Amino acid sequence: DTEVTQTPKHLVMGMTNKKSLKCEQHMGHRAMYWYKQKAKKPPELMFVYSYEKLSINESVPSRFSPECPNSSLLNLHLHALQPEDSALYLCASSPLEVRRMAGELFFGEGSRLTVL
Amino acid sequence: GQNIDQPTEMTATEGAIVQINCTYQTSGFNGLFWYQQHAGEAPTFLSYNVLDGLEEKGRFSSFLSRSKGYSYLLLKELQMKDSASYLCAVRRSGYSTLTFGKGTMLLVSP
């Protein structure tokens, strides 16, 4: 299994809603990531979890709240978002062990979020 | 910080060869990656270089010169399905994360 699965694929929410994006991988990767991608822009890193612990938060507003319940799952909880938060949210995973290919990111297909 | 530059757009003809360049400036280099991204889809891994030289993988090759902060992705025997955005990404030492360049949109025409 070399897939990263994200749900939902599409989400429309109002600014007062609370919703969650989910990500799952069964490749045994111990690093998981959330990236945000606006149209015609590169992916921008939001959060990194290493061994289920938050290791990097790229100064993301608190209306985005990540959670890593176990080594296979990564969630992104959304609350009180703004229209400018509309984007494609990509989950990725990678192995952490030291070997030549370490660091290759495997991306999910993304969750396309629209905030009204 | 990091600075990654690549051309915004390129066009080429089916069957031709195209080279997409990427220059980077980073403190503590630990690998350069190329990803392909079709519109509306997730990026997919193409290649990885951490040592100087050429890595060949079928129709795709990637080259790295660490002293020049320079890489290129070479696509041979272009096909229509190669029309996509090509992202250059750099990893820094001590970090597992990648920082992406703005991407090069390649349009392959008949």
Side-chain angles (χ1 to χ4, degrees), chain A residues 72-97:
Chain A
S72 299
L73 295 174
L74 184 67
N75 298 323
L76 185 63
H77 302 299
L78 314 171
H79 175 53
L81 295 193
Q82 304 296 312
E84 59 264 28
D85 296 322
S86 298
L88 180 68
Y89 288 84
L90 293 163
C91 173
S93 70
S94 71
L96 274 175
E97 62 270 25

Side-chain angles (χ1 to χ4, degrees), chain A residues 9-115:
Chain A
K9 288 190 173 12
H10 298 276
L11 178 63
V12 179
M13 60 187 291
M15 289 190 284
T16 58
N17 292 156
K18 281 187 182 180
K19 297 286 184 183
S20 296
L21 306 181
K22 298 185 183 302
C23 176
E24 189 169 3
Q25 57 89 14
H26 295 288
M27 293 178 278
H29 292 168
R30 302 307 296 275
M32 295 188 76
Y33 312 77
W34 281 113
Y35 278 85
K36 173 182 177 179
Q37 187 175 27
K38 305 278 273 185
K40 299 187 179 180
K41 300 287 187 184
E44 293 180 354
L45 183 67
M46 299 175 73
F47 302 104
V48 181
Y49 274 82
S50 302
Y51 299 106
E52 297 87 67
K53 288 187 171 28
L54 183 65
S55 57
I56 294 177
N57 176 342
E58 290 287 305
S59 302
V60 179
S62 59
R63 57 186 185 267
F64 295 92
S65 175
E67 178 197 19
C68 190
N70 60 54
S71 60
S72 299
L73 295 174
L74 184 67
N75 298 323
L76 185 63
H77 302 299
L78 314 171
H79 175 53
L81 295 193
Q82 304 296 312
E84 59 264 28
D85 296 322
S86 298
L88 180 68
Y89 288 84
L90 293 163
C91 173
S93 70
S94 71
L96 274 175
E97 62 270 25
V98 179
R99 57 186 172 91
R100 186 171 178 273
M101 291 302 293
E104 172 190 348
L105 295 180
F106 292 78
F107 282 93
E109 292 192 349
S111 293
R112 187 162 297 282
L113 174 67
T114 302
V115 182

Side-chain angles (χ1 to χ4, degrees), chain A residues 31 33 35 37 40-43 45 48 50 56 88 90 94 96 100-109 112, chain B residues 33 35 37 40-45 48-51 55 57 87 91 95-103 105:
Chain A
Y33 312 77
Y35 278 85
Q37 187 175 27
K40 299 187 179 180
K41 300 287 187 184
L45 183 67
V48 181
S50 302
I56 294 177
L88 180 68
L90 293 163
S94 71
L96 274 175
R100 186 171 178 273
M101 291 302 293
E104 172 190 348
L105 295 180
F106 292 78
F107 282 93
E109 292 192 349
R112 187 162 297 282
Chain B
F33 295 74
Y35 279 79
Q37 187 175 25
E41 298 182 11
T44 55
F45 170 78
Y48 167 70
N49 296 71
V50 68
L51 300 175
E55 293 281 343
K57 209 174 179 182
L87 299 161
R91 185 177 65 186
Y95 293 84
S96 60
T97 60
L98 300 183
T99 300
F100 288 87
K102 293 184 177 178
M105 181 62 66

Side-chain angles (χ1 to χ4, degrees), chain B:
Chain B
Q2 293 176 291
N3 189 31
I4 303 171
D5 286 315
Q6 50 183 131
T8 305
E9 289 182 351
M10 297 183 72
T11 58
T13 307
E14 200 173 10
I17 299 173
V18 71
Q19 177 174 312
I20 303 174
N21 296 325
C22 172
T23 58
Y24 64 89
Q25 295 171 315
T26 185
S27 53
F29 173 83
N30 193 25
L32 188 139
F33 295 74
W34 284 96
Y35 279 79
Q36 180 192 60
Q37 187 175 25
H38 286 99
E41 298 182 11
T44 55
F45 170 78
L46 289 178
S47 70
Y48 167 70
N49 296 71
V50 68
L51 300 175
D52 290 351
L54 189 68
E55 293 281 343
E56 297 189 77
K57 209 174 179 182
R59 294 191 299 115
F60 296 81
S61 303
S62 58
F63 172 83
L64 176 67
S65 168
R66 288 171 297 170
S67 61
K68 295 181 180 177
Y70 167 69
S71 173
Y72 67 72
L73 179 70
L74 192 71
L75 294 81
K76 303 176 188 173
E77 300 169 16
L78 281 173
Q79 302 174 9
M80 298 295 288
K81 67 178 182 179
D82 297 328
S83 293
S85 180
Y86 290 85
L87 299 161
C88 172
V90 172
R91 185 177 65 186
R92 291 171 59 189
S93 296
Y95 293 84
S96 60
T97 60
L98 300 183
T99 300
F100 288 87
K102 293 184 177 178
T104 298
M105 181 62 66
L106 174 66
L107 178 62
V108 180
S109 57

